[in-house]
Amino acid sequence: MNKLHALSVAAVAAAAFASTVSAQVPGPNPPPSPTPAPVPAGAAVTPVAAPAAAPAAAPVPPGQPKPYKEVLKGAKAIPGYFTLHRKDEKVWIEIKPDQLDKPFFFSMNVPRSIGERGLYASQMGSSWNPVRGSQVAVWRKIGNQVQLIAKNTRFFARDGTPQARFVEESFSDSLIASAPVAAQADPDTKAIVVEGNALLFADLPSYGTVVETAFRMPFTMDAKNTSFSRVTNAGNLTSLQVNAHFAVPKIAAPPLTPPPKPAPPPPKVTPDPRSFFVGFQYNFMPLPEVPMAARPADERLGHFTVERVDYTDDVTPKRRSYLVK
């Protein structure tokens, strides 16, 4: 037994010694490295420059819009009075520097409606709502916000007179809609863009008030289910049609005791009385280069007339004039 144990120990020791020796034996010599050519004495040595890295794009400061080309990448340009850019469900309106603060004609129509209680299609704004369906409007940029402003043309005075300043300070314009600048200015044309979805997916005509008057229910516009149904652009007209969704969370339960005067019923012609779509047509048109001559109208007509008050002469009684649109 002792002899077998001694032989085993000897075998293990021999194997360990063999592996140690084989580990110390060098393998084949590697190929020699190429020897650099000698540099002549006095010759200038030019250091080898490392390859230049591609310049990194400057980060956009917080709160600032993204670059113009990045925002409109992949969008289709639709030229016209105001150039439009469309991609998927988004539409951007481009405004050139010379189009800011320049008056233009803006109108709102209802090409599609509910179909009952006086809410029908193809109605002009002024025929169904105290909000005027047509305005003289301007684009105004305040910081990074673009405003669509309706000018107050009812009161006026001749430009350059002290009364003109009085009128400007005494009678306010109105804000129709506003939205943030969607991108930095175009590096070539300096034009800015505003997202039409953010600007027009709101109840600009105040149609919700008309609906509430008809049904006595708090219908509100649902922007997330609203979309553009048609976009038309030409040199003298930029037109966007919005398919606006109105909804109410629930139909109120009838009162236990009938009121003295019954409330109007919910919509009857829609598949679901809690939901319906209305079409809003927004038109942008340039004003004529030569102003059209005003035509006096008889105030008793009360249809398609504009009431104006002239403050140019401050020594005579102010008389209201009625002009035909």
Side-chain angles (χ1 to χ4, degrees), residues 213-283:
T213 302
F215 300 105
R216 296 298 167 180
M217 297 174 61
F219 283 95
T220 56
M221 185 172 168
D222 173 21
K224 67 180 181 180
N225 290 305
T226 295
S227 61
F228 286 108
S229 55
R230 183 181 302 171
V231 174
T232 306
N233 214 1
N236 61 350
L237 172 66
T238 295
S239 180
L240 299 101
Q241 189 173 125
V242 174
N243 194 32
H245 179 238
F246 282 81
V248 69
K250 67 174 184 177
I251 304 297
L256 295 176
T257 303
K261 186 175 182 180
K268 296 181 178 180
V269 300
T270 57
D272 187 330
R274 298 170 299 175
S275 167
F276 56 82
F277 290 90
V278 175
F280 293 153
Q281 183 86 19
Y282 299 116
N283 300 313

Side-chain angles (χ1 to χ4, degrees), residues 100-152:
L100 289 170
D101 298 306
K102 182 178 180 180
F104 57 88
F105 181 78
F106 175 74
S107 67
M108 299 178 284
N109 299 327
V110 182
R112 297 189 312 278
S113 191
I114 303 172
E116 62 175 308
R117 302 193 65 83
L119 303 178
Y120 304 112
S122 302
Q123 291 180 311
M124 298 183 65
S126 58
S127 64
W128 48 262
N129 197 355
V131 176
R132 291 175 56 188
S134 59
Q135 308 279 355
V136 173
V138 296
W139 295 112
R140 184 172 297 163
K141 184 176 180 292
I142 306 295
N144 281 333
Q145 196 77 7
V146 176
Q147 298 175 336
L148 178 59
I149 301 289
K151 299 296 294 180
N152 192 337

Side-chain angles (χ1 to χ4, degrees), residues 177-194:
S178 70
V181 176
Q184 298 176 18
D186 184 346
D188 299 325
T189 64
K190 307 304 178 186
I192 61 174
V193 291
V194 60

Side-chain angles (χ1 to χ4, degrees), residues 151-237:
K151 299 296 294 180
N152 192 337
T153 58
R154 182 178 177 183
F155 307 94
F156 74 102
R158 192 184 316 117
D159 292 339
T161 62
Q163 291 79 8
R165 181 175 178 182
F166 154 77
V167 170
E168 181 182 1
E169 295 177 351
S170 300
F171 303 100
S172 175
D173 298 332
S174 295
L175 177 68
I176 302 174
S178 70
V181 176
Q184 298 176 18
D186 184 346
D188 299 325
T189 64
K190 307 304 178 186
I192 61 174
V193 291
V194 60
E195 185 184 317
N197 305 55
L199 185 77
L200 302 178
F201 284 9
D203 189 7
L204 272 58
S206 191
Y207 204 69
T209 301
V210 184
V211 173
E212 187 172 355
T213 302
F215 300 105
R216 296 298 167 180
M217 297 174 61
F219 283 95
T220 56
M221 185 172 168
D222 173 21
K224 67 180 181 180
N225 290 305
T226 295
S227 61
F228 286 108
S229 55
R230 183 181 302 171
V231 174
T232 306
N233 214 1
N236 61 350
L237 172 66

